[in-house]
Amino acid sequence: MKTLRRTWKRLLGLTGKPRRERELADEIASHLEMLIEENIRAGMTPEQAERAARLTFGGIEAAKESYRDQRGLPFIESSLADLRYALRSLRKNKGYALTALLVLALGIGSTTAIFSVVNQLLLKPLPISDPDRLVALVQGPEGSRNMTASPALFAHWRAQSSVLTDVSAFVADDTVMNYTGAELVEQWRTQRASADFFGCVGFHVLYGRTFTQDEDLPNAARVVVLDEGLWRRRFSSDSSIVGKTVSLNGTPNTVVGVVATPPFVREFGAPPEVYVPMRLDPASQDLGSYFEVIARVKPRVTFAQAKARLHASADQYRAKYPGILGPQDTLSLIPVGELVTGYLRPVLGVLLGAVGLVLLIACANVANLMLVRGASRRREIGIRAAIGASRSRIVRQLFCESALLALAGGGLGLWLGYGGIRALLAASDAGFPLVGDSGEAVLLDWRVAGFVLLISLLAAVLFGLFPALSSSRIELNTFLKDGGQGAGWRKSRARAALVVLEVSLSVVLLVGSALLIRSFVALYRVNRGFETKNVMTMQTLMGGPKYAASAGLADTIRIGLDRLRAIPGVAAASAGEQIPLQGVSSLPFDTPGNPRPAESQGAGWAIISPGYFDVFKIPVKRGREFNDRDIGSAPAVAVINETMAKLFWKGHDPLGDRISIGRGIMQELKDEPVREIVGIAGDVRDAGLQNTPRPVMYVPQAQVPDAFAANFFHDDFMKWVVRTRDQPGKLAPVIQKQLQQATGLPVSDFMTMDQVVAQSLSEQRFSLLLMTVFGGAALLLAAMGLYGLMAYTVEQRRRELGIRLALGADARRVRNMVVRQGMRMALAGVLIGIAASFALARTLESLLFAVKARDPLVFVAVPVLLAAVAFFAVWFPAVRSSRVDPVEALRYE
């Protein structure tokens, strides 16, 4: 009860403070008056009586402080007083405050920028209901992320109903369909999906419904579901659209519903505008993999139980379809969130480590500033200690200044980091998922705000506590002897240690940046197997009854290519189902009479037209390439690449051998002919510059089976490729006009091959840009720290240097002495940094290409660069030291 009453009185003491101060002053004055009167009655003079009364009463201010400690909340009041004092102190030293604030904002802002991306990609749950139960179904070795599935595998997964629900197939590749309405012809972004897809992902149906299971079967009536955005744009939000027909690829389709595409789908770029059924046969034994599958783990079934059930079912699938799963392969599942962003963990981990080093360097820099400032405040601190201030009280007051700087730097850093990462993501074409087209999905939330507050407080401890303890450590006798002057060179070891730390951390960051730069250069210069100069690409969706047969498609392609080749300035033109760096399909193969094991017979499969190798200047090493005589009625032929020839035809020449591609795997390839290998082409890095060339089979488009052409090209693009004699952009309008006249269809996505190459390197370029920025910031901060320390040291030794020069010391020797002292610290930091970098370099191995983690060139160039920067940072204070005027120095002292 007493404690409660005492607490209540202290809370009441926070109010009415002016009145209580007046009452306290009056009470102390009355006590003094009574003591004075007693002393006068004892025979003292008024002056003697007052002096004796004051001595008897003791310190008036101490008495007041004792009284105040019993009223109110002393800690809060003293903290507020410390805060006011810190604000006044920083306002009087604007240069110091602004420098410290900017350095902290740079460190905290960099860390905030990367954490905001980590928060968006790895910490936030997916914008979907119950995201932990949404899984991707995969096949392959344990840990595989291979989502590709066949109709037979899809049927097997749907049978696992004890652990899975809403098993849904969809085609992830960007596809379009040609819409023809009245005079309008345009392309609509299309998503092929099974009936359960909408419930699995969580679509909201605005009008009508989604597909039924019957509409998702082969030969069912053609129906579509429209996205809300297309419905509003093209049909002016007409609620009666349900039941009407739209013409897609020349075929009428009934609109059965309008849906609002969930944010989860929209996070991956422009959402589909129209959804069409997969139309898979539940009894199909088709083993061709060309779509992906997602599902939900059933309620009350754990992730581990579902995974174990799929593992067990792999043996059933292997027994039913021998040779499809390898001995080490299994069936499994992965959380969709892990699949979408998990591959970014190594990159984001490296970037977080890099900004952590930048933050440490910034803290070391500010700590050095505070040590310098503490040395200049020795007189003030000494006086405080002399009149009775405890060391803990001095430390708390100095630390309050650090906390104020840290919080202000955190606020500025939050603004800079958030704005900076949004600007970088908007300018970058890295294409990270879940961040939006221009980074607009990266928002401030409680995690980011809490993180900034946490690192601000951590920074305050890192850069503020040690200087506060050091500055408060005052020996009064020493203080009185040196008159409060600052410490000399030998007493600056703490500041020197911080500079060494800054330099060593900068070396680590610069080594990482240099390794990524070397890797990016090697990646850009790698032998791609094709040339990009003056090559442009565009695409057309060749869908509709006219292109249901390979012959009709081949005729249109031939007419289009004839028109393109007739354009002045066009050197070569061709068409194909894929272009380099964008991947190719994969199919198994065998050679009649010489079958190979199932696990070794897969290869890439590319459909091209005559002239394809000429456009990209892909060399044909032996044999010939395709020509206009390789039509449907001619003997079937194929060209393979060098990697395939070396891998599967060891010891003899494959030219003239016969090859069977994909037979018995896909229903559409049941009429695939046995082909003669007529040529061996050079290798092309079709799956990305960082990946080694894989085996590839090329077949002429005119010889593709009709069933495959009707199904495959119905919703997949035909890529046109053109090599020009001059800049290709000048001919783009003419090329577009000729192709539209030849096909009667829209032409889209004009890109030069240089742009395709740049796009394939976008993620590496984004990481490189950030690491370069962080490395440059670290180098700048280290140079600032070294320069600041040397400038301060020269100023502190001004009297000593003046005496040296007055006694005849050579100015050059004085300058060199200062340079040696500064470079000694820099070189110590470089050596420590090189050792740390050598130990940490292996963490970057997964991000490097054709560069060793301990590349000798990097480990030589970085120390040289940093030593050169350190020399210039030391040189200017050293020159100033050699120009000290002895008379002015001694007069100043």
Side-chain angles (χ1 to χ4, degrees):
M1 198 66 183
K2 290 182 179 180
T3 302
L4 185 61
R5 187 163 51 249
R6 190 182 304 116
T7 303
W8 176 249
K9 288 183 177 180
R10 285 186 178 275
L11 290 174
L12 289 178
L14 294 175
T15 61
K17 186 175 180 180
R19 176 179 56 79
R20 289 196 311 278
E21 288 292 321
R22 288 194 300 272
E23 292 175 353
L24 176 62
D26 292 342
E27 186 173 352
I28 290 175
S30 65
H31 276 287
L32 286 174
E33 288 176 2
M34 286 189 292
L35 289 173
I36 292 171
E37 289 175 0
E38 289 179 5
N39 291 335
I40 291 175
R41 285 196 295 271
M44 295 184 185
T45 64
E47 292 79 9
Q48 292 173 333
E50 181 177 357
R51 183 174 182 278
R54 290 185 178 276
L55 289 174
T56 302
F57 187 85
I60 294 177
E61 291 300 320
K64 287 183 177 180
E65 286 296 326
S66 177
Y67 171 81
R68 290 170 187 145
D69 286 345
Q70 300 174 34
R71 301 288 180 181
L73 298 174
F75 179 79
I76 294 178
E77 292 179 345
S78 63
S79 296
L80 290 175
D82 290 342
L83 180 62
R84 289 191 293 271
Y85 178 80
L87 284 171
R88 287 196 303 271
S89 178
L90 292 175
R91 191 164 53 244
K92 291 178 180 178
N93 296 272
K94 294 185 178 65
Y96 155 76
L98 184 61
T99 302
L101 194 63
L102 291 177
V103 170
L104 282 174
L106 179 61
I108 295 176
S110 301
T111 312
T112 303
I114 300 303
F115 180 80
S116 63
V117 176
V118 172
N119 174 54
Q120 180 66 24
L121 295 181
L122 302 181
L123 301 182
K124 278 187 177 181
L126 293 178
I128 194 170
S129 62
D130 204 4
D132 293 338
R133 292 195 170 270
L134 184 64
V135 295
L137 304 184
V138 297
Q139 61 169 318
E142 185 64 36
S144 171
R145 295 172 176 266
N146 178 19
M147 282 184 66
T148 58
S150 64
L153 182 55
F154 178 60
H156 175 81
W157 271 328
R158 292 186 71 179
Q160 312 309 311
S161 56
S162 61
V163 294
L164 298 177
T165 186
D166 292 332
V167 181
S168 310
F170 66 100
V171 177
D173 296 335
D174 293 333
T175 59
V176 299
M177 299 186 81
N178 296 320
Y179 168 71
T180 52
E183 301 298 323
L184 180 68
V185 177
E186 65 180 8
Q187 293 179 342
W188 286 356
R189 296 186 301 276
T190 307
Q191 174 83 72
R192 292 181 63 190
S194 63
D196 291 321
F197 179 77
F198 300 94
C200 183
V201 178
F203 282 71
H204 175 57
V205 179
L206 300 178
Y207 292 96
R209 58 176 175 80
T210 57
F211 310 136
T212 64
Q213 296 292 342
D214 290 339
E215 290 168 340
D216 199 22
L217 296 175
N219 303 317
R222 293 189 175 274
V223 295
V224 296
V225 171
L226 304 182
D227 173 65
E228 179 185 12
L230 175 70
W231 171 64
R232 296 187 186 281
R233 176 180 66 83
R234 178 53 53 212
F235 301 103
S236 303
S237 303
D238 182 7
S239 59
S240 64
I241 188 66
V242 176
K244 294 183 179 180
T245 60
V246 292
S247 178
L248 298 176
N249 289 351
T251 303
N253 292 260
T254 302
V255 178
V256 297
V258 179
V259 296
T261 301
F264 171 68
V265 178
R266 295 179 180 273
E267 294 287 1
F268 295 90
E273 295 175 307
V274 60
Y275 297 87
V276 298
M278 286 291 296
R279 300 162 66 91
L280 297 174
D281 183 359
S284 173
Q285 296 188 4
D286 187 344
L287 297 172
S289 298
Y290 59 92
F291 57 87
E292 288 75 30
V293 180
I294 59 174
R296 283 188 175 271
V297 177
K298 295 187 77 171
R300 293 183 295 279
V301 175
T302 66
F303 184 85
Q305 290 172 334
K307 189 173 183 178
R309 180 68 191 90
L310 290 186
H311 280 341
S313 75
D315 291 335
Q316 304 169 14
Y317 186 73
R318 187 181 287 106
K320 187 174 182 179
Y321 301 103
I324 296 302
L325 290 181
Q328 305 300 320
D329 291 344
T330 188
L331 303 180
S332 189
L333 47 79
I334 299 175
V336 168
E338 172 68 21
L339 187 74
V340 169
T341 61
Y343 72 99
L344 292 171
R345 289 182 186 275
V347 175
L348 294 176
V350 169
L351 293 178
L352 268 180
V355 295
L357 293 180
V358 172
L359 181 60
L360 283 175
I361 295 170
C363 289
N365 216 312
V366 176
N368 234 333
L369 286 174
M370 297 197 74
L371 283 172
V372 170
R373 177 167 160 75
S376 67
R377 298 171 69 181
R378 284 169 57 82
R379 181 178 180 81
E380 170 198 340
I381 296 171
I383 292 174
R384 287 175 178 273
I387 61 176
S390 66
R391 188 184 178 198
S392 61
R393 187 71 179 84
I394 295 173
V395 169
R396 197 173 78 185
Q397 191 172 72
L398 294 176
F399 185 72
C400 182
E401 185 176 307
S402 304
L404 186 63
L405 275 175
L407 292 175
L412 182 58
L414 177 64
W415 179 73
L416 288 176
Y418 178 65
I421 199 64
R422 288 287 296 269
L424 283 173
L425 288 172
S428 170
D429 56 354
F432 291 129
L434 304 178
V435 300
D437 290 338
S438 301
E440 66 271 9
V442 179
L443 303 173
L444 294 179
D445 61 9
W446 65 269
R447 290 185 186 86
V448 177
F451 176 78
V452 172
L453 178 61
L454 178 64
I455 62 171
S456 298
L457 295 177
L458 178 62
V461 172
L462 287 175
F463 74 77
L465 190 58
F466 172 68
L469 291 172
S470 177
S471 298
S472 64
R473 192 181 294 115
I474 296 281
E475 292 288 342
L476 289 181
N477 290 334
T478 305
F479 168 75
L480 295 173
K481 286 179 182 178
D482 65 16
Q485 300 300 314
W489 169 259
R490 295 185 181 277
K491 296 183 180 180
S492 301
R493 291 177 181 174
R495 294 190 289 275
L498 288 173
V499 169
V500 170
L501 175 65
E502 289 184 58
V503 173
S504 60
L505 293 177
S506 300
V507 170
V508 175
L509 263 179
L510 287 172
V511 166
S513 301
L515 286 172
L516 288 179
I517 291 172
R518 289 264 291 149
S519 178
F520 185 81
V521 171
L523 194 59
Y524 198 81
R525 292 181 176 177
V526 71
N527 181 16
R528 305 164 187 162
F530 63 94
E531 293 189 14
T532 62
K533 185 178 180 181
N534 294 340
V535 177
M536 70 182 307
T537 176
M538 64 237 59
Q539 57 191 22
T540 301
L541 181 68
M542 311 290 275
K546 179 181 178 181
Y547 307 113
S550 288
L553 182 59
D555 286 343
T556 301
I557 291 175
R558 177 180 51 78
I559 293 171
L561 292 179
D562 288 343
R563 285 175 172 265
L564 293 181
R565 291 164 183 160
I567 298 173
V570 171
S574 185
E577 165 257 341
Q578 286 289 358
I579 59 175
L581 297 180
Q582 294 188 349
V584 294
S585 304
S586 183
L587 283 176
F589 74 94
D590 59 53
T591 56
N594 186 25
R596 287 169 173 77
E599 64 269 17
S600 65
Q601 66 180 8
W605 188 52
I607 303 170
I608 64 174
S609 296
Y612 183 88
F613 297 115
D614 187 31
V615 171
F616 290 107
K617 294 190 176 181
I618 301 171
V620 177
K621 303 291 186 176
R622 282 178 291 154
R624 68 173 179 87
E625 59 180 306
F626 303 137
N627 55 47
D628 292 335
R629 294 187 295 277
D630 295 317
I631 58 177
S633 58
V637 295
V639 171
I640 64 175
N641 69 346
E642 280 188 297
T643 294
M644 185 168 179
K646 293 175 182 177
L647 188 61
F648 297 108
W649 276 269
K650 297 176 182 178
H652 74 280
D653 191 348
L655 287 180
D657 271 10
R658 305 183 74 76
I659 187 172
S660 176
I661 302 173
R663 299 183 73 181
I665 298 298
M666 298 175 63
Q667 182 67 22
E668 290 84 355
L669 290 176
K670 64 180 180 179
D671 297 326
E672 167 68 12
V674 177
R675 301 176 181 274
E676 179 186 354
I677 299 174
V678 297
I680 300 175
D683 291 333
V684 171
R685 293 180 182 264
D686 61 272
L689 295 178
Q690 69 274 21
N691 297 317
T692 57
R694 58 175 177 167
V696 176
M697 307 170 286
Y698 299 93
V699 298
Q701 179 277 318
Q703 295 184 346
V704 173
D706 287 345
F708 183 86
N711 196 45
F712 184 80
F713 291 108
H714 182 74
D715 56 2
D716 203 1
F717 290 107
M718 176 59 68
K719 309 291 196 308
W720 305 89
V721 289
V722 180
R723 177 180 291 279
T724 61
R725 295 184 177 88
D726 202 351
Q727 292 294 327
K730 299 177 181 179
L731 295 178
V734 180
I735 291 173
Q736 182 180 27
K737 180 179 179 181
Q738 292 297 326
L739 286 178
Q740 285 180 337
Q741 290 177 355
T743 62
L745 299 171
V747 182
S748 62
D749 287 1
F750 281 77
M751 292 182 69
T752 66
M753 282 304 296
D754 288 326
Q755 290 173 322
V756 173
V757 171
Q759 194 175 68
S760 72
L761 297 174
S762 57
E763 287 186 15
Q764 292 90 337
R765 187 167 53 250
F766 183 74
S767 301
L768 172 66
L769 173 63
L770 287 180
M771 284 294 290
T772 303
V773 169
F774 298 152
L779 185 62
L780 176 63
L781 289 174
M784 287 173 56
L786 190 57
Y787 173 83
L789 176 61
M790 295 312 300
Y792 172 75
T793 301
V794 167
E795 187 63 28
Q796 291 298 106
R797 300 177 67 186
R798 185 181 180 87
R799 184 168 182 268
E800 172 201 337
L801 296 174
I803 294 173
R804 284 176 179 267
L805 293 172
L807 294 176
D810 183 47
R812 186 173 58 182
R813 294 187 65 181
V814 170
R815 181 195 64 201
N816 292 344
M817 176 188 67
V818 176
V819 169
R820 281 195 303 272
Q821 291 170 345
M823 290 304 295
R824 202 175 292 132
M825 288 188 295
L827 293 177
V830 167
L831 291 176
I832 295 172
I834 287 296
S837 300
F838 198 78
L840 296 173
R842 291 199 178 279
T843 60
L844 288 175
E845 278 185 329
S846 62
L847 304 180
L848 302 180
F849 174 81
V851 177
K852 294 181 179 179
R854 294 168 176 172
D855 182 58
L857 180 61
V858 169
F859 278 83
V860 170
V862 168
V864 170
L865 171 65
L866 220 153
V869 172
F871 178 79
F872 283 107
V874 170
W875 176 260
F876 294 106
V879 170
R880 192 179 304 123
S881 72
S882 66
R883 295 175 180 172
V884 172
D885 186 342
V887 176
E888 290 294 327
L890 295 175
R891 182 182 300 153
Y892 173 78
E893 293 297 332

